Every structure is written in structure tokens, then in C-alpha cells.
Amino acid sequence: GCFLEPAAAIEHALQLVAQGADLLDIGAESTRPGASPTNAEEQTARVVPVIEAVAAQTSVPISIDTSDAQVMRAALAAGAGMINDVRALRAEGALEAAAESAAVVCLMHMQGLPETMQQQADYADVVAEVGAYLQQRVQYCVAAGIAAERLLADPGFGFGKNLAHNTALMQQLRRCAQASGRPLLVGVSRKRMI
């Protein structure tokens, strides 16, 4: 919510590129614990002008951070080349939107929904369960026509996980990567665990 105005978001994105960013992840819906959903129209209105402007001024890859198929399509048309989905393409139409594109896709594990996920953090073996989920989502995407080479996996630090869960995942990232069969993209900036 710090860069809701397009001009501020564009300026910030270009500043990040100047500081050495290798990838820009642009989204218009908060998925922090307790966050409420933002509709597709609002997300699209927020991200498309930013993606168009940033894509015109840099060659750094742009990722759209959304679970909504309509937003995915609009962002990819605007210049994004990656989909970063906290729901791992489980929302209506998301799998089809990704499959019909050439975009790289990051599939994230989340237990519950942002509104309630921290109230439901419960695992018998968090590493095994997250790894199995990511493996299942990769297989599902490949069966839907998305080449495995286009897929990344994210164990979802802080998404329906407490400090002990996050620590176990961090200590056993290799096990998650082996289970998913894909490279991991790990997001830990601004997480309470840090």
C-alpha cells in the first residue's frame, strides 16, 4: 500500500532496477495475514499502467502477483512475463490463463486464506506436507499443458505457517525442491520470522 499511485509505483520500480533488482514482482492485492480480497477490476486498474510503463523503460523481467485470471491476462498483455500466484493457480480460470500464455509461473503453498491463514497453521510434518503439495500442483499444471520448465515452486514462508514451521522449511529447502522437482523461489523479505 505504499505505492498506490501509479507514478510512485513506477518510480519505485525503476529505483529498484537501478539498485540491482533482477526481477520486479508487481501486485495490487495484499496477501498479508488478515488482508481482505481486492476485486479484479481494482487490481487491473492498479497494475496495468505500472507494468506498461515499467516494461517500456527496463528489460528486467516483470512478475504479476495475483491469483485472478482476469488480472493475469491483462498484466501479461501489458508486459509481465511471469505469474506469481499465492494460490498456485487454484482460483477459477487461473490454470487456463497460465496455460494459454508463455509465462513462467510460480506456484506457492498457502494453508488457508490470507484472512484466516495464521489461525489455521497446523502440520504433522510441514516440510513433507508443503513438498507434497508443491509436487501435486506441479503435476497438475503439467497435465494441463504448462511445460515443467516454466514452473517454479515457493514454500510460502509466513502463509499459514508459524515461526517453527518457517524455520523447519528454511532448514530443509533442499527437501522441498526435491519434492516439487522444480527450482524454488523463496520470499522472506519483510517477514516476521526475519
Side-chain angles (χ1 to χ4, degrees):
C2 297
F3 304 99
L4 288 177
E5 291 299 318
I10 294 161
E11 181 182 349
H12 182 64
L14 296 174
Q15 181 181 27
L16 292 172
V17 170
Q19 293 171 348
D22 294 313
L23 172 74
L24 295 171
D25 189 44
I26 299 174
E29 177 180 46
S30 175
T31 53
R32 73 186 183 284
S36 298
T38 302
N39 67 48
E41 291 73 24
E42 182 66 24
Q43 287 188 58
T44 302
R46 289 178 181 177
V47 298
V48 166
V50 174
I51 292 171
E52 287 176 341
V54 172
Q57 297 179 62
T58 182
S59 60
V60 169
I62 298 171
S63 166
I64 177 62
D65 186 350
T66 190
S67 296
D68 187 280
Q70 178 182 325
V71 181
M72 289 175 190
R73 287 185 177 100
L76 294 172
M82 178 176 165
I83 298 167
N84 183 14
D85 186 0
V86 298
R87 290 175 179 83
L89 302 181
R90 289 182 290 128
E92 183 179 345
L95 182 64
E96 293 79 8
E100 69 192 28
S101 77
V104 172
V105 179
C106 184
L107 305 166
M108 197 194 82
H109 175 274
M110 173 173 56
Q111 187 180 75
L113 296 171
E115 301 95 315
T116 59
M117 64 188 175
Q118 292 311 107
Q119 301 163 16
Q120 303 173 356
D122 185 37
Y123 303 87
D125 180 339
V126 67
V127 178
E129 291 173 49
V130 169
Y133 173 86
L134 293 172
Q135 180 183 54
Q136 176 192 51
R137 293 308 300 163
V138 166
Q139 291 171 347
Y140 192 73
C141 289
V142 169
I146 301 173
E149 295 74 27
R150 289 175 44 204
L151 300 172
L152 302 170
D154 181 349
F157 286 93
F159 284 81
K161 299 168 187 78
N162 62 31
L163 180 59
H165 300 140
N166 290 326
T167 303
L169 285 166
M170 185 63 78
Q171 291 171 336
Q172 298 184 57
L173 282 176
R174 187 177 309 278
R175 199 169 140 206
C176 278
Q178 290 169 338
S180 72
R182 302 305 310 139
L184 295 185
L185 184 149
V186 175
V188 291
S189 63
R190 299 187 183 179
K191 300 290 169 127
R192 283 183 230 170
M193 66 177 286
I194 301 298

